[in-house]
Amino acid sequence: MKRKSLILLALSLIFVACKNNEESTQCNINVNFSFNVNRDSLERDSMKYVNDAGNKYMVTDLQMIVSKLQLVHSDGTTQVFDKSVHFVDLADTSTFTWTIEDVPIGIYNSIGFVFGLDSTMNVTGAYPDPPINEMIWPESLGGGYHYLKLNCKWLSDKELLPLNFHLGPEQMIDGSDTTVIDNSFIVTRISDFEISSKFENVFEVNVDINKWFGPTCIIDFDKIKGVWIMESHEIQEMARENGPNVFSMNKKTVK
Amino acid sequence: MSRYVEVLIIGCLTLLIALICVSCEEPEKEQTPYQFDLPSYFPSKLNVSDDNPMTVEGVRLGRHLFYDGRLSGRTDTDSMMCCATCHRQENSFDAGIDNPLFPGGFTHGLTGIRTNHVTMPLVNLVFNHNGYTWNGSLNGKNPVENMRCLEDMLWIVITAGDELCGDTNTVRALFQSLHEYSEMFEDAFGTSEVTVDRMGRAIAQFVNSIVSCDSKFDRYLKGEAVLTEEELLGYELFMTEEGGDCFHCHGGAANPLFTTNKYYNNGKDSVFTDENDRFKVTLREYDKGAYRAPSLRNLKYTAPYMHDGRYSTIDDVLDFYNSKVLNTPYTDVLMHHAPEGGVHLTPHEIAAIKSFLMTLTDESVITNEKYSNPW
């Protein structure tokens, strides 16, 4: 039994080697995330950031989910990698790179991905394995997963207070309002580019943390003191307004 | 055909021949892969070392070793100690507050030296990818090479002054001389030669086989049981920010391990004197006073609670979360009722959370013969 499988393994190695000979029509792309505040690289645990409302804060943890990488081909067709999901954790630099495999080479007009999970993917229990299972979102708020956990401490009248800026699909806990605020959105970058196996295909995503709190909708920590963000329609909606400004995407030129 | 492919094919053929040769030398005995029977909502990503795949034979050997007092390297009854001395099945593989050997559940090693912390239950560890022990020092990135994986635990336990306080050569020689083991080693590893490395692998396989997925709450998730109104209220409170706000660290239906296995400071202290906290591993200032969040399965059997066993009842723990939480710079942000000192629920609501926690009791861990003393 064991011997047979070893022979099979060796044979399949030969197979794989031969297949590589054909001119490759697919390749991998890497999406690299970096976290910043006004262009400076984000420093964890450092009480040096000030938002548009003037609140002084630091970031202790950040976890987020991105998904459904999509590419628009020059002929107008869209290629959606609808199973692709990636978890990014500020505490673990190995999560900063999201690799998408088997992307058809060619000329494209735009690239995008979903911040969070759209409603087709955001189903309770869909991701039972760690690390995504630590992102669970209460069933009574619609279930599924947190899109973002941005954990901060901020200084109010010299007292240090926690701020859990947690985003996800939100509905009223007591059932009084069943509209779901889904603050997932698509981050896109538009302009022609080539995906090719001749060079590394790298896209850089800058995440400017401070832009979650303004300027489109100013989120003043002092005013939302005592509000449970996960349960607040209002704050989830403000985050949806601010979100698109948080992300910016570039293609890296690699020789 | 390109030169590249030629080289590859020649390489593969050489490999093929080599593999056939190697497989010819393999012993005739084959091991049976160990299978888990897990509910669909459970994680499927297992933390099993590539070079120590779980087999029925390996788990069987590991179980015998886990329960063998001669692991201490001694054979007189007073000097016997093994994993099961401190990790008892009747306590969900924790020491237990009612342990006759260790009053209050505070364990010590063979020579009487107290362990740094209280024990941890050995349940669902196969789903933990975040390091072992309260501070996670046993992890894949530990600079010390033999303190990285579950397989290393035996070596650590044998030599630790606060545990078996023995030496590996004596233990190896002793187990080589025990005839009852030669066939088990042969079955598990294809050789009757005893090494501490093989012993450690077998024990890791057994520990990894201990799974809890049959509590009342599991049966509720499988549609085989209903929760009472009180239990449902407790679950609701457990899962909401304005309620008990427990789920960020302790999971829920979609994380049925009831822990994230991550490290947090849950706001018990303002001065940190324990040298073996998470800070020791990460050297991150805000990891002072942080420990791995334990699973909340089988709390009924795992008192005393917290790394230092400071609470002896679940009521004490809930009382702490309700009104005794400290808002220090070190308190984790996820404890975001800390500025008010706790979640401030009513006695009725606290009772509901407790009822819910009791639905995580899994008697099958306590009674399953697969995990019991084989001697």
Side-chain angles (χ1 to χ4, degrees), chain B residues 164-232:
Chain B
L164 303 187
C165 202
D167 81 273
T168 48
N169 287 333
T170 313
V171 174
R172 194 206 65 76
L174 173 61
F175 277 79
Q176 187 69 74
S177 74
L178 301 172
H179 296 299
E180 57 270 40
Y181 275 102
S182 45
E183 201 180 315
M184 278 192 270
F185 271 92
E186 184 81 47
D187 289 347
F189 296 113
T191 165
S192 56
E193 193 204 343
V194 174
T195 64
V196 172
D197 179 62
R198 288 192 187 114
M199 291 169 75
R201 286 157 176 254
I203 291 185
Q205 290 188 35
F206 172 65
V207 169
N208 268 336
S209 76
I210 305 171
V211 164
S212 162
C213 59
D214 194 27
S215 65
K216 181 176 180 187
F217 191 76
D218 290 295
R219 292 193 296 277
Y220 163 71
L221 292 178
K222 293 178 216 162
E224 295 163 7
V226 279
L227 298 188
T228 66
E229 235 167 75
E230 191 185 37
E231 289 161 350
L232 282 170

Coordinates of all heavy atoms in Angstrom, one line a residue, chain B residues 164-232:
Chain B
L164 N 8.4 16.4 37.2 CA 8.9 15.0 37.6 C 10.3 15.1 38.1 O 10.8 14.1 38.7 CB 8.8 14.1 36.4 CG 7.4 13.9 35.7 CD1 7.4 12.9 34.7 CD2 6.4 13.6 36.8
C165 N 11.0 16.1 37.9 CA 12.3 16.3 38.5 C 13.2 15.1 38.2 O 13.9 14.6 39.1 CB 12.2 16.6 40.0 SG 13.7 17.4 40.6
G166 N 13.2 14.6 37.0 CA 14.0 13.4 36.7 C 15.0 13.7 35.6 O 15.3 14.8 35.3
D167 N 15.5 12.6 35.0 CA 16.4 12.8 33.9 C 16.0 11.8 32.8 O 15.6 10.7 33.0 CB 17.8 12.7 34.3 CG 18.4 11.3 34.4 OD1 18.2 10.8 35.5 OD2 18.8 10.8 33.4
T168 N 16.2 12.3 31.6 CA 15.6 11.5 30.4 C 16.4 10.2 30.2 O 15.7 9.2 29.8 CB 15.7 12.4 29.2 OG1 17.0 12.9 29.1 CG2 14.7 13.5 29.2
N169 N 17.6 10.1 30.5 CA 18.4 8.8 30.3 C 17.8 7.7 31.2 O 17.6 6.6 30.7 CB 19.9 9.0 30.7 CG 20.5 9.8 29.6 OD1 20.1 9.8 28.4 ND2 21.6 10.5 29.9
T170 N 17.5 8.1 32.5 CA 17.0 7.1 33.4 C 15.6 6.6 32.9 O 15.3 5.4 32.9 CB 16.8 7.7 34.8 OG1 18.0 8.4 35.1 CG2 16.5 6.7 35.8
V171 N 14.8 7.6 32.5 CA 13.4 7.3 32.0 C 13.5 6.4 30.8 O 12.8 5.4 30.7 CB 12.6 8.5 31.7 CG1 11.3 8.2 31.1 CG2 12.4 9.3 33.0
R172 N 14.4 6.7 29.9 CA 14.5 5.9 28.6 C 14.9 4.5 29.0 O 14.3 3.6 28.5 CB 15.5 6.6 27.7 CG 15.5 6.0 26.3 CD 16.8 6.1 25.6 NE 17.8 5.3 26.2 CZ 17.9 4.0 26.1 NH1 17.0 3.3 25.3 NH2 18.8 3.3 26.7
A173 N 15.9 4.4 29.8 CA 16.4 3.0 30.1 C 15.3 2.2 30.9 O 15.2 1.0 30.6 CB 17.7 3.2 31.0
L174 N 14.6 2.9 31.8 CA 13.6 2.2 32.5 C 12.5 1.7 31.5 O 12.1 0.5 31.6 CB 13.0 3.1 33.6 CG 11.7 2.6 34.3 CD1 12.1 1.3 35.1 CD2 11.2 3.6 35.3
F175 N 12.0 2.5 30.6 CA 11.0 2.1 29.7 C 11.5 1.0 28.7 O 10.7 0.2 28.3 CB 10.3 3.3 29.1 CG 9.3 3.9 30.0 CD1 9.6 4.7 31.0 CD2 7.9 3.6 29.8 CE1 8.7 5.2 31.9 CE2 7.0 4.1 30.7 CZ 7.4 4.9 31.7
Q176 N 12.8 1.1 28.4 CA 13.3 0.1 27.5 C 13.2 -1.3 28.2 O 13.0 -2.3 27.5 CB 14.7 0.4 27.1 CG 15.3 -0.5 26.1 CD 14.7 -0.3 24.7 OE1 15.0 0.6 24.0 NE2 13.9 -1.3 24.3
S177 N 13.4 -1.3 29.5 CA 13.4 -2.6 30.2 C 12.0 -3.1 30.5 O 11.8 -4.2 31.0 CB 14.2 -2.4 31.5 OG 13.4 -1.6 32.5
L178 N 11.0 -2.3 30.3 CA 9.6 -2.8 30.6 C 9.0 -3.5 29.4 O 8.7 -3.0 28.4 CB 8.7 -1.6 30.9 CG 9.2 -0.7 32.1 CD1 8.3 0.6 32.2 CD2 9.1 -1.5 33.4
H179 N 8.8 -4.8 29.6 CA 8.5 -5.7 28.5 C 7.1 -5.4 27.9 O 6.8 -5.5 26.7 CB 8.6 -7.2 28.9 CG 10.0 -7.5 29.2 ND1 11.0 -7.4 28.2 CD2 10.6 -7.9 30.3 CE1 12.1 -7.8 28.8 NE2 11.9 -8.1 30.1
E180 N 6.2 -4.9 28.8 CA 4.8 -4.6 28.3 C 4.8 -3.5 27.3 O 3.8 -3.4 26.6 CB 3.9 -4.2 29.5 CG 4.3 -3.0 30.4 CD 5.2 -3.4 31.5 OE1 6.1 -4.3 31.4 OE2 5.0 -2.8 32.6
Y181 N 5.9 -2.8 27.1 CA 5.9 -1.7 26.1 C 6.5 -2.1 24.8 O 6.2 -1.4 23.8 CB 6.7 -0.5 26.7 CG 5.8 0.4 27.6 CD1 6.0 0.4 28.9 CD2 4.9 1.3 27.0 CE1 5.2 1.2 29.7 CE2 4.1 2.1 27.8 CZ 4.3 2.0 29.1 OH 3.5 2.9 29.9
S182 N 7.3 -3.2 24.7 CA 8.0 -3.4 23.5 C 7.1 -3.6 22.3 O 7.3 -3.0 21.2 CB 9.0 -4.5 23.6 OG 8.4 -5.6 24.2
E183 N 6.0 -4.3 22.5 CA 5.0 -4.5 21.4 C 4.3 -3.2 21.0 O 4.1 -2.9 19.8 CB 4.0 -5.6 21.7 CG 3.4 -6.2 20.5 CD 2.4 -7.3 20.9 OE1 2.7 -8.1 21.7 OE2 1.3 -7.2 20.3
M184 N 4.0 -2.4 22.0 CA 3.3 -1.1 21.8 C 4.2 -0.2 21.0 O 3.7 0.5 20.1 CB 2.9 -0.5 23.1 CG 1.6 -1.0 23.6 SD 0.9 0.0 24.9 CE 1.7 -0.7 26.3
F185 N 5.5 -0.2 21.3 CA 6.4 0.7 20.5 C 6.6 0.1 19.1 O 6.6 0.9 18.1 CB 7.8 0.7 21.2 CG 7.9 1.9 22.2 CD1 7.6 1.7 23.5 CD2 8.3 3.1 21.8 CE1 7.7 2.7 24.4 CE2 8.4 4.2 22.7 CZ 8.1 4.0 24.0
E186 N 6.6 -1.2 19.0 CA 6.7 -1.9 17.7 C 5.5 -1.5 16.8 O 5.7 -1.1 15.7 CB 6.8 -3.4 17.9 CG 7.0 -4.2 16.7 CD 8.4 -4.3 16.3 OE1 9.3 -4.6 17.2 OE2 8.7 -4.1 15.1
D187 N 4.4 -1.5 17.4 CA 3.1 -1.2 16.7 C 3.1 0.3 16.3 O 2.7 0.6 15.2 CB 1.9 -1.5 17.5 CG 1.7 -3.0 17.7 OD1 2.3 -3.8 17.0 OD2 0.9 -3.3 18.6
A188 N 3.5 1.1 17.2 CA 3.4 2.5 16.9 C 4.5 3.1 16.0 O 4.2 3.9 15.2 CB 3.4 3.3 18.2
F189 N 5.7 2.6 16.2 CA 6.8 3.2 15.5 C 7.6 2.2 14.7 O 8.6 2.6 14.1 CB 7.7 3.9 16.5 CG 7.0 5.1 17.2 CD1 6.8 5.0 18.5 CD2 6.7 6.2 16.5 CE1 6.1 6.1 19.2 CE2 6.0 7.3 17.1 CZ 5.8 7.2 18.4
G190 N 7.2 0.9 14.6 CA 7.9 -0.1 13.8 C 9.2 -0.5 14.4 O 10.0 -1.1 13.8
T191 N 9.4 -0.2 15.7 CA 10.6 -0.6 16.4 C 10.3 -0.7 17.9 O 9.6 0.1 18.4 CB 11.8 0.3 16.1 OG1 12.8 0.0 17.1 CG2 11.4 1.8 16.2
S192 N 11.0 -1.6 18.5 CA 10.8 -1.7 20.0 C 11.8 -0.8 20.7 O 11.8 -0.8 21.9 CB 10.8 -3.1 20.4 OG 12.1 -3.7 20.1
E193 N 12.6 -0.1 20.0 CA 13.6 0.7 20.6 C 12.9 1.9 21.2 O 12.2 2.7 20.5 CB 14.7 1.1 19.6 CG 15.9 1.8 20.3 CD 16.7 2.7 19.4 OE1 16.5 2.6 18.2 OE2 17.4 3.5 19.9
V194 N 13.1 2.1 22.5 CA 12.5 3.2 23.2 C 13.4 4.4 23.2 O 14.6 4.3 23.4 CB 12.2 2.8 24.7 CG1 11.7 4.0 25.5 CG2 11.3 1.7 24.8
T195 N 12.8 5.6 22.7 CA 13.6 6.8 22.9 C 12.6 7.8 23.5 O 11.4 7.7 23.4 CB 14.0 7.4 21.5 OG1 12.8 7.7 20.8 CG2 14.9 6.5 20.7
V196 N 13.2 8.8 24.2 CA 12.3 9.8 24.8 C 11.5 10.6 23.8 O 10.4 11.0 23.9 CB 13.1 10.8 25.7 CG1 12.3 11.9 26.3 CG2 13.7 10.0 26.9
D197 N 12.2 10.8 22.6 CA 11.5 11.4 21.5 C 10.2 10.6 21.1 O 9.2 11.2 20.9 CB 12.5 11.5 20.3 CG 11.9 12.1 19.1 OD1 11.5 13.3 19.2 OD2 11.8 11.4 18.1
R198 N 10.4 9.3 20.9 CA 9.2 8.5 20.5 C 8.1 8.6 21.6 O 6.9 8.6 21.4 CB 9.6 7.1 20.3 CG 10.4 7.0 19.0 CD 10.5 5.5 18.5 NE 11.4 5.5 17.4 CZ 12.6 5.0 17.3 NH1 13.1 4.3 18.4 NH2 13.4 5.1 16.2
M199 N 8.6 8.5 22.9 CA 7.6 8.6 24.0 C 6.8 9.9 23.9 O 5.6 9.9 24.1 CB 8.3 8.5 25.3 CG 8.9 7.1 25.6 SD 10.0 7.1 27.1 CE 8.8 7.2 28.4
G200 N 7.6 11.0 23.7 CA 7.0 12.3 23.6 C 6.0 12.4 22.5 O 4.9 13.0 22.6
R201 N 6.3 11.8 21.3 CA 5.4 11.9 20.2 C 4.1 11.1 20.5 O 3.0 11.6 20.2 CB 6.0 11.2 19.0 CG 7.1 12.0 18.3 CD 7.9 11.0 17.6 NE 9.0 11.5 16.8 CZ 8.9 11.5 15.5 NH1 7.8 11.2 14.8 NH2 9.9 11.9 14.8
A202 N 4.3 9.9 21.1 CA 3.1 9.1 21.4 C 2.2 9.9 22.4 O 1.0 9.9 22.2 CB 3.5 7.8 22.0
I203 N 2.8 10.5 23.4 CA 2.0 11.2 24.4 C 1.3 12.4 23.7 O 0.1 12.6 24.0 CB 2.8 11.7 25.6 CG1 3.3 10.5 26.4 CG2 2.1 12.7 26.5 CD1 4.0 10.8 27.7
A204 N 2.0 13.1 22.8 CA 1.3 14.2 22.1 C 0.1 13.7 21.3 O -0.9 14.3 21.3 CB 2.3 14.9 21.2
Q205 N 0.3 12.5 20.7 CA -0.8 12.0 19.9 C -2.0 11.7 20.8 O -3.2 12.0 20.5 CB -0.4 10.7 19.3 CG 0.6 10.9 18.1 CD 0.8 9.6 17.3 OE1 -0.1 8.8 17.2 NE2 2.0 9.4 16.9
F206 N -1.8 11.1 22.0 CA -2.9 10.9 22.9 C -3.5 12.2 23.4 O -4.8 12.3 23.3 CB -2.4 10.1 24.2 CG -3.5 10.0 25.2 CD1 -4.7 9.2 24.9 CD2 -3.4 10.6 26.4 CE1 -5.7 9.2 25.9 CE2 -4.4 10.5 27.4 CZ -5.5 9.8 27.1
V207 N -2.7 13.2 23.8 CA -3.3 14.4 24.3 C -4.1 15.1 23.1 O -5.2 15.6 23.4 CB -2.1 15.4 24.7 CG1 -2.7 16.8 25.0 CG2 -1.5 14.9 26.0
N208 N -3.6 15.0 21.9 CA -4.3 15.6 20.8 C -5.7 14.9 20.5 O -6.6 15.4 19.9 CB -3.5 15.6 19.5 CG -2.7 16.9 19.4 OD1 -3.1 17.9 19.9 ND2 -1.6 16.8 18.6
S209 N -5.7 13.6 21.0 CA -7.0 12.9 20.7 C -8.1 13.2 21.6 O -9.3 12.9 21.4 CB -6.7 11.3 20.8 OG -6.6 11.0 22.2
I210 N -7.8 14.0 22.7 CA -8.9 14.3 23.7 C -9.7 15.5 23.2 O -9.2 16.6 23.1 CB -8.3 14.7 25.1 CG1 -7.4 13.5 25.5 CG2 -9.4 14.9 26.1 CD1 -6.5 13.8 26.8
V211 N -10.9 15.2 22.8 CA -11.8 16.2 22.2 C -13.1 16.3 22.9 O -13.7 15.3 23.4 CB -12.0 15.8 20.7 CG1 -13.2 16.6 20.2 CG2 -10.8 16.1 19.9
S212 N -13.5 17.6 23.1 CA -14.9 17.8 23.7 C -15.8 18.4 22.7 O -15.5 19.5 22.2 CB -14.8 18.8 24.9 OG -16.0 19.3 25.2
C213 N -16.8 17.7 22.2 CA -17.8 18.2 21.3 C -19.1 17.6 21.5 O -19.9 17.5 20.6 CB -17.3 18.0 19.8 SG -17.1 16.3 19.4
D214 N -19.4 17.3 22.8 CA -20.7 16.6 23.1 C -21.3 17.2 24.3 O -21.9 16.5 25.1 CB -20.5 15.1 23.2 CG -21.8 14.4 23.1 OD1 -22.8 14.9 22.5 OD2 -21.9 13.3 23.7
S215 N -21.3 18.5 24.5 CA -22.0 19.2 25.6 C -23.4 19.4 25.2 O -23.8 19.1 24.1 CB -21.3 20.5 25.9 OG -21.5 21.4 24.8
K216 N -24.2 19.8 26.2 CA -25.6 20.1 25.8 C -25.7 21.2 24.8 O -26.5 21.1 23.8 CB -26.4 20.6 27.1 CG -27.8 20.9 26.8 CD -28.6 21.3 28.1 CE -30.0 21.6 27.7 NZ -30.8 22.2 28.9
F217 N -24.8 22.2 24.8 CA -24.8 23.2 23.8 C -24.4 22.6 22.4 O -25.0 23.1 21.4 CB -23.8 24.3 24.2 CG -23.9 25.5 23.4 CD1 -25.0 26.4 23.6 CD2 -23.0 25.8 22.3 CE1 -25.1 27.6 22.8 CE2 -23.2 27.0 21.5 CZ -24.2 27.8 21.8
D218 N -23.6 21.6 22.4 CA -23.3 21.0 21.1 C -24.5 20.3 20.6 O -24.9 20.4 19.4 CB -22.2 19.9 21.3 CG -20.8 20.6 21.5 OD1 -20.3 21.2 20.6 OD2 -20.3 20.4 22.6
R219 N -25.2 19.6 21.5 CA -26.4 18.9 21.0 C -27.5 19.9 20.6 O -28.3 19.7 19.6 CB -27.0 18.0 22.1 CG -26.0 16.8 22.3 CD -26.6 15.7 23.2 NE -27.0 16.2 24.5 CZ -26.1 16.2 25.5 NH1 -24.8 15.8 25.3 NH2 -26.4 16.7 26.7
Y220 N -27.5 21.1 21.2 CA -28.4 22.2 20.8 C -28.0 22.6 19.3 O -28.9 22.8 18.5 CB -28.3 23.3 21.8 CG -28.8 24.7 21.3 CD1 -30.2 24.9 21.1 CD2 -27.9 25.7 21.0 CE1 -30.6 26.1 20.7 CE2 -28.4 27.0 20.6 CZ -29.7 27.2 20.4 OH -30.2 28.4 20.0
L221 N -26.7 22.8 19.1 CA -26.3 23.2 17.8 C -26.6 22.1 16.7 O -26.9 22.4 15.6 CB -24.8 23.5 17.7 CG -24.3 24.7 18.5 CD1 -22.8 24.9 18.5 CD2 -25.0 26.0 18.0
K222 N -26.6 20.8 17.2 CA -26.9 19.8 16.2 C -28.4 19.5 16.1 O -28.8 18.6 15.4 CB -26.3 18.5 16.7 CG -24.7 18.4 16.7 CD -24.2 17.1 17.2 CE -22.9 17.3 18.0 NZ -22.6 16.2 18.8
G223 N -29.2 20.3 16.8 CA -30.6 20.2 16.8 C -31.1 19.0 17.6 O -32.2 18.5 17.4
E224 N -30.3 18.5 18.5 CA -30.7 17.4 19.3 C -31.2 17.7 20.7 O -31.5 16.8 21.5 CB -29.6 16.4 19.4 CG -29.2 15.8 18.1 CD -27.8 15.1 18.1 OE1 -27.2 15.0 19.2 OE2 -27.3 14.7 17.0
A225 N -31.0 19.0 21.1 CA -31.5 19.4 22.5 C -32.0 20.8 22.4 O -31.7 21.5 21.5 CB -30.3 19.3 23.4
V226 N -32.8 21.1 23.3 CA -33.3 22.5 23.4 C -32.7 23.2 24.7 O -32.6 22.5 25.7 CB -34.8 22.6 23.4 CG1 -35.4 22.5 22.0 CG2 -35.5 21.6 24.4
L227 N -32.5 24.5 24.6 CA -32.0 25.2 25.7 C -33.2 25.8 26.4 O -34.2 26.2 25.8 CB -31.0 26.3 25.3 CG -29.7 25.9 24.6 CD1 -28.8 27.0 24.5 CD2 -29.0 24.7 25.4
T228 N -33.1 25.9 27.7 CA -34.2 26.5 28.5 C -34.1 28.0 28.2 O -33.1 28.6 27.7 CB -34.0 26.3 30.0 OG1 -32.8 27.0 30.4 CG2 -33.8 24.8 30.4
E229 N -35.2 28.7 28.6 CA -35.2 30.2 28.4 C -34.1 30.8 29.1 O -33.5 31.8 28.6 CB -36.6 30.7 29.0 CG -37.3 31.5 28.0 CD -38.8 31.7 28.5 OE1 -38.9 32.6 29.3 OE2 -39.7 31.0 28.0
E230 N -33.8 30.4 30.3 CA -32.7 31.0 31.1 C -31.3 30.8 30.4 O -30.5 31.7 30.3 CB -32.6 30.4 32.5 CG -31.7 31.1 33.4 CD -31.5 30.5 34.8 OE1 -31.5 29.2 34.9 OE2 -31.4 31.3 35.8
E231 N -31.1 29.6 29.9 CA -29.9 29.3 29.2 C -29.7 30.1 27.9 O -28.7 30.7 27.6 CB -29.8 27.8 28.8 CG -29.6 26.9 30.0 CD -29.9 25.4 29.8 OE1 -30.5 25.1 28.7 OE2 -29.6 24.6 30.6
L232 N -30.8 30.3 27.2 CA -30.8 31.1 26.0 C -30.5 32.6 26.3 O -29.8 33.3 25.6 CB -32.1 31.0 25.2 CG -32.3 29.7 24.4 CD1 -33.8 29.6 23.9 CD2 -31.3 29.7 23.3

